[in-house]
Amino acid sequence: MNLTLQRLLTDSKKINLFFWIITSTGLMVYKLSFHELWKDEWQAWLVARDLSLSNMLAFINYEGHPSLWYLYLKVWTILPIQEYILLQLSHGVLVAVTLYYLFVRISLPTLWKILISLSYFIVFEYGVINRGYILVILLSIIALDLIVRNKRSWILGLTLLLLCQTEAYGVIIAAAITVYLFLNSEGKNLILFRKTILWSLTGLFLFVFTVFPRGNEDDFTRAYNQQSFSINVIHESIQGHLANVFTIGLIDDTASNGVSLFGFMISILLFSILVWIFIRDWRVLLSMIFGLLAFIIFGILIFSGGVRQWGMVYLLFVLMLILSHYKKSKWSLYRYILVITLMIAPMIHGIKALITDAQIPFSNAQEVGRFIKENIPDNVPVVVINKFETAPVGAYAGRSLYELPSGEEFTYFKWLEKVYIPTESEISLFARFKNVGGIVLLSPSPIDPKRFPNAVLWQEFSNENFKRENYWLYSIPLTK
């Protein structure tokens, strides 16, 4: 067998170190060179920047995410560097550390590591896009590194607690790891498990305490599943968490195009393959099934999600590979090939996503922000329709925007706020209040000329972009 191929099929330290340096450096350069931030990325940064620590912690139940990502960003916001660069750097550091654990600390065949690092979920959805999901990956891999090195101390417990402060999906991953520890708890390990589960339960309590909705019940119900329990909802969750993960790009996106018989059959086949891969270690198999079922049930009952959320199943798959492989049990060639087969489609889709993001903007928000900064004086208010869609424009413009009817400045938004569309008379009244001759109106869609008869389209920003975030800028003169 060729020496290079042999090293790829084993765990080659030199090749691992080389690929860690290449992928970490390459991703950081790529992010800073090609990736524009969109609203989901800016939102956490703006909340961390503009709210005090106490107010931020009180606010995050509106976000639907625990506090760890916001606390991490809070530290970075004090640095005197351009914000869009800081956000990319803060996330890029976590990506580099995650890839270090994957390539250098964890024992897997080098070829697997390369395919995992180039998968759509690792390289793009969690590697390029600056969201807190990277903390789920990092902390879960750290937890497994502690387990395989037999360091089941308070550090492991603390890691699982922190994992529960990342995302709801982090809680499920922590639960799957805890199940694995329970299944391996015998003798001295049973005492260690009892200590570990106390940390996990504390993490779960903190998660519920920080994220549990405390606002208007009617508003919060709009954030979660409103579909009645049905076979179709179950089908969507199964297909999303299986077919849209391991054959991503080969079948239609379930969130956009719905379910199909083909997608369901592929999902059942994929589940069978996963069972066959892990069947030799029943502890790993049961942990994997527990985690997968938890994701599917969460998608049915709480939040259906999309590719970003479904990608957590890919992480679960990688974690189970680590647990199954570190025992040095013999793997047949067929199992190796099956694992590689499950990694091919995510890798191809990841490379396509990188190419697309380099070719077209991820969002048009940066272009609009630059236009506002260059053409609209600071004393001229920019009023928006839909804070949710327009907040990233203000971040790129380096200024606050205005909302009506309150007339207040804002930088971030509450996810559950309803969109208010002002009348032209309200805008004129606001212009008089601000003592200006007119108002600039920013909208994520063309406005109704009947509602705004004096509005003049100034600039349209609807060039092709990854997230289809388009904007229209209007000038509305003060009417008598």
Side-chain angles (χ1 to χ4, degrees), residues 237-473:
S237 191
I238 293 173
Q239 182 171 311
H241 286 94
L242 285 165
N244 280 138
V245 172
F246 296 103
T247 57
I248 185 171
L250 301 180
I251 71 165
D252 290 338
D253 180 12
T254 303
S256 302
N257 302 307
V259 297
S260 66
L261 178 60
F262 177 71
F264 182 74
M265 293 173 64
I266 290 294
S267 299
I268 299 302
L269 175 62
L270 288 167
F271 178 75
S272 302
I273 292 174
L274 290 172
V275 170
W276 195 84
I277 288 174
F278 297 114
I279 199 166
R280 290 193 176 185
D281 189 334
W282 64 272
R283 296 175 179 86
V284 173
L285 177 62
L286 290 180
S287 302
M288 186 273 294
I289 292 176
F290 172 86
L292 180 58
L293 288 178
F295 282 128
I296 291 173
I297 292 171
F298 185 84
I300 293 170
L301 300 179
I302 308 297
F303 182 62
S304 55
V307 170
R308 183 181 307 116
Q309 291 76 27
W310 301 334
M312 289 287 107
V313 172
Y314 189 85
L315 171 61
L316 178 67
F317 169 63
V318 172
L319 298 177
M320 295 304 111
L321 284 178
I322 295 169
L323 290 174
S324 183
H325 194 267
Y326 92 95
K327 294 183 177 180
K328 308 299 182 182
S329 58
K330 290 185 178 181
W331 278 59
S332 68
L333 179 61
Y334 297 109
R335 291 176 78 198
Y336 270 103
I337 293 174
L338 273 179
V339 170
I340 292 172
T341 300
L342 293 183
M343 295 177 178
I344 294 298
M347 181 200 65
I348 294 173
H349 200 66
I351 294 172
K352 285 182 178 179
L354 290 175
I355 294 172
T356 302
D357 197 20
Q359 291 175 336
I360 63 175
F362 197 70
S363 163
N364 281 326
Q366 184 179 38
E367 185 183 359
V368 185
R370 185 185 299 116
F371 182 89
I372 290 175
K373 183 180 289 188
E374 295 174 354
N375 295 279
I376 302 177
D378 290 339
N379 66 321
V380 177
V382 178
V383 175
V384 308
I385 295 175
N386 195 331
K387 291 168 59 176
F388 173 76
E389 298 288 350
T390 55
V393 173
Y396 269 120
R399 61 189 288 173
S400 298
L401 305 175
Y402 290 87
E403 63 166 330
L404 293 178
S406 69
E408 296 178 348
E409 293 178 285
F410 76 92
T411 53
Y412 56 89
F413 54 86
K414 289 182 179 179
W415 287 94
L416 304 175
E417 284 183 330
K418 296 179 180 178
V419 175
Y420 180 81
I421 302 179
T423 62
E424 191 168 293
S425 60
E426 286 178 290
I427 292 177
S428 297
L429 183 64
F430 181 68
R432 291 189 178 91
F433 171 74
K434 300 297 288 186
N435 195 28
V436 293
I439 292 291
V440 174
L441 181 66
L442 175 65
S443 173
S445 59
I447 61 176
D448 183 359
K450 294 180 180 179
R451 190 176 184 87
F452 303 96
N454 293 302
V456 178
L457 178 62
W458 186 2
Q459 193 77 20
E460 177 181 339
F461 303 88
S462 58
N463 292 329
E464 183 183 9
N465 62 96
F466 205 105
K467 298 302 292 186
R468 300 177 183 176
E469 282 189 344
N470 302 316
Y471 301 95
W472 283 257
L473 208 57

Side-chain angles (χ1 to χ4, degrees), residues 16-197:
N16 287 339
L17 186 61
F18 171 78
F19 270 98
W20 171 61
I21 295 172
I22 292 297
T23 53
S24 299
T25 305
L27 265 179
M28 185 69 81
V29 172
Y30 179 94
K31 285 159 67 71
L32 294 172
S33 302
F34 298 110
H35 183 66
E36 295 85 8
L37 308 175
W38 72 304
K39 59 178 179 285
D40 282 22
E41 296 170 90
W42 272 118
Q43 171 69 0
W45 177 269
L46 297 172
V47 168
R49 184 195 69 185
D50 294 341
L51 290 177
S52 66
L53 181 60
S54 59
N55 288 338
M56 182 185 75
L57 294 175
F59 180 83
I60 57 176
N61 73 97
Y62 288 102
E63 294 287 283
H65 306 286
S67 58
L68 191 58
W69 176 236
Y70 301 85
L71 292 171
Y72 174 73
L73 291 179
K74 189 75 174 173
V75 178
W76 286 81
T77 60
I78 65 176
L79 299 178
I81 304 176
Q82 288 184 307
E83 291 184 314
Y84 74 93
I85 294 178
L86 266 181
L87 178 51
Q88 302 257 42
L89 287 175
S90 65
H91 183 267
V93 167
L94 295 178
V95 173
V97 176
T98 300
L99 291 174
Y100 170 79
Y101 267 87
L102 174 64
F103 276 107
V104 180
R105 298 279 296 183
I106 293 298
S107 176
L108 284 177
T110 297
L111 180 59
W112 288 6
K113 293 181 178 182
I114 295 171
L115 294 174
I116 291 167
S117 69
L118 292 176
S119 70
Y120 170 79
F121 305 104
I122 304 301
V123 77
F124 191 79
E125 192 65 61
Y126 309 134
V128 170
I129 301 176
N130 304 278
R131 297 293 306 278
Y133 292 90
I134 187 62
L135 286 170
V136 182
I137 304 172
L138 174 58
L139 290 170
S140 59
I141 293 180
I142 289 176
L144 263 61
D145 180 61
L146 293 169
I147 292 172
V148 300
R149 295 175 188 273
N150 203 27
K151 296 181 179 180
R152 301 182 191 178
S153 62
W154 65 270
I155 300 177
L156 173 58
L158 179 60
T159 302
L160 294 176
L161 184 149
L162 292 175
L163 183 55
C164 292
Q165 309 316 305
T166 55
E167 301 284 340
Y169 306 96
V171 175
I172 295 175
I173 292 291
I177 294 174
T178 304
V179 167
Y180 176 80
L181 293 173
F182 169 72
L183 296 175
N184 284 273
S185 57
E186 297 175 356
K188 293 181 179 180
N189 287 341
L190 180 59
I191 299 174
L192 292 172
F193 166 74
R194 288 172 180 171
K195 294 180 179 178
T196 303
I197 197 171

Side-chain angles (χ1 to χ4, degrees), residues 2-14:
N2 180 277
L3 182 60
T4 302
L5 179 60
Q6 185 177 357
R7 287 177 176 176
L8 287 174
L9 294 177
T10 56
D11 194 15
S12 173
K13 292 182 178 180
K14 291 183 178 180

